[in-house]
Amino acid sequence: MASLATHFTNENSGIIFSSVETNIGNFFDVMTGRFHAPVTGAYFFTFSMMKHEDVDQVHVYLMHNGNTVITMYSYEAKGKHDTAGNSAVLKLVKDDEVWVRMGTGALHGDHQRFCTFSGFLLFEN
């Protein structure tokens, strides 16, 4: 599991998580924020994010080899936080990449780890 311990405001870029709590096999690249599939199979991914109070909306995308798979959208008036998340089961081929990309807005990060990204192999095929 990867999480944000600091705010993230880099619009239209891959989210680089400031903390990685679990990285069995080291298939998650902590420098790029990308997961590299070690084997072909079905994988489950989930992410949850908290909108930073300085913005009114945020878009976050789950990416697979450069293509958007699913979107997370959150709206709440400035000065307030809001949380949202999304999940997907993806069929990946060995060496495929999956990551979370920031669209617009800003994410809240602190020691409570409101913004997280994780995934795991369901079965190999």
Side-chain angles (χ1 to χ4, degrees):
M1 178 186 82
S3 62
L4 284 178
T6 58
H7 303 320
F8 190 85
T9 58
N10 297 347
E11 292 189 346
N12 299 311
S13 68
I15 297 173
I16 306 300
F17 293 89
S18 51
S19 179
V20 178
E21 286 76 20
T22 308
N23 190 8
I24 298 168
N26 291 315
F27 300 111
F28 180 76
D29 186 329
V30 297
M31 300 304 290
T32 65
R34 295 181 182 212
F35 171 80
H36 299 268
V39 296
T40 298
Y43 291 78
F44 175 80
F45 292 94
T46 187
F47 61 99
S48 61
M49 304 291 159
M50 178 179 276
K51 177 192 80 65
H52 192 277
E53 63 186 4
D54 289 347
V55 299
D56 61 1
Q57 61 182 324
V58 64
H59 288 86
V60 176
Y61 307 96
L62 182 68
M63 307 297 293
H64 173 212
N65 291 339
N67 298 307
T68 300
V69 178
I70 54 175
T71 302
M72 183 224 72
Y73 172 75
S74 177
Y75 175 83
E76 180 61 67
K78 285 184 180 180
K80 297 182 179 182
H81 293 290
D82 187 44
T83 59
N86 214 334
S87 302
V89 173
L90 302 177
K91 183 175 180 181
L92 303 182
V93 176
K94 185 180 186 311
D95 297 323
D96 276 3
E97 289 185 321
V98 176
W99 69 96
V100 183
R101 182 176 69 83
M102 179 73 167
T104 59
L107 298 173
H108 177 82
D110 67 18
H111 69 282
Q112 295 182 46
R113 309 290 201 262
F114 290 108
C115 298
T116 63
F117 173 54
S118 61
F120 55 87
L121 176 68
L122 294 170
F123 58 87
E124 188 175 344
N125 60 3

